[in-house]
Amino acid sequence: QVQLVESGGGLVQAGGSLRLSCAASGRTFSRYPMGWFRQAPGKEREFVAAITGSGATLYYADSVKGRFTISRDNAKIMVYLQMNSLKPEDTAVYYCTASTSYYPGNYRRATEYAYWGQGTQVTVSS
């Protein structure tokens, strides 16, 4: 059974940092792109970051570029999202996701990803 389990969310003050982790199991994800999306209350789910299977190419939403860093450890089948300089507008449930296509047509599109975690809450206070 495929599982993606996020951890590392919590409450942090503006300007602080958090590191989200995603543990993948049940499939060999090491060859496939993985990513992070988020959904704030009353808003649609939005792309945050993605990383190719090799880790060689990274993609970021403009709103997080320069503050967030996505990385992966294929030996451990883990994906991470280091979030620095957090802002109140970063408050959302963050979801880990994995694609089953080596080369998705659009890494920023949620429909390119087949597997999703349950999400972890990130709350940034002002």
Side-chain angles (χ1 to χ4, degrees):
Q1 182 179 357
V2 173
Q3 272 194 318
L4 299 176
V5 180
E6 304 96 335
S7 61
L11 173 64
V12 64
Q13 287 189 334
S17 299
L18 283 175
R19 187 193 195 208
L20 304 184
S21 299
C22 174
S25 62
R27 186 186 174 104
T28 304
F29 286 109
S30 59
R31 301 179 181 180
Y32 296 97
M34 297 185 70
W36 292 91
F37 283 71
R38 67 186 182 187
Q39 188 166 18
K43 296 188 177 181
E44 293 186 354
R45 191 171 297 190
E46 65 173 359
F47 170 77
V48 176
I51 184 168
T52 54
S54 66
T57 306
L58 312 178
Y59 301 85
Y60 294 100
D62 289 343
S63 59
V64 307
K65 200 173 294 183
R67 300 188 297 121
F68 291 11
T69 303
I70 188 171
S71 61
R72 66 189 297 162
D73 184 335
N74 282 341
K76 297 180 180 179
I77 320 179
M78 296 286 294
V79 177
Y80 306 98
L81 185 68
Q82 178 65 45
M83 305 186 296
N84 299 328
S85 302
L86 282 161
K87 304 175 181 180
E89 51 263 43
D90 294 319
T91 295
V93 177
Y94 283 71
Y95 297 92
C96 175
T97 187
S99 176
T100 54
S101 172
Y102 290 133
Y103 302 105
N106 185 340
Y107 286 85
R108 294 173 171 82
R109 190 161 54 201
T111 53
E112 298 285 0
Y113 299 90
Y115 298 106
W116 295 81
Q118 292 297 309
T120 186
Q121 176 71 47
V122 171
T123 302
V124 184
S125 63
S126 57

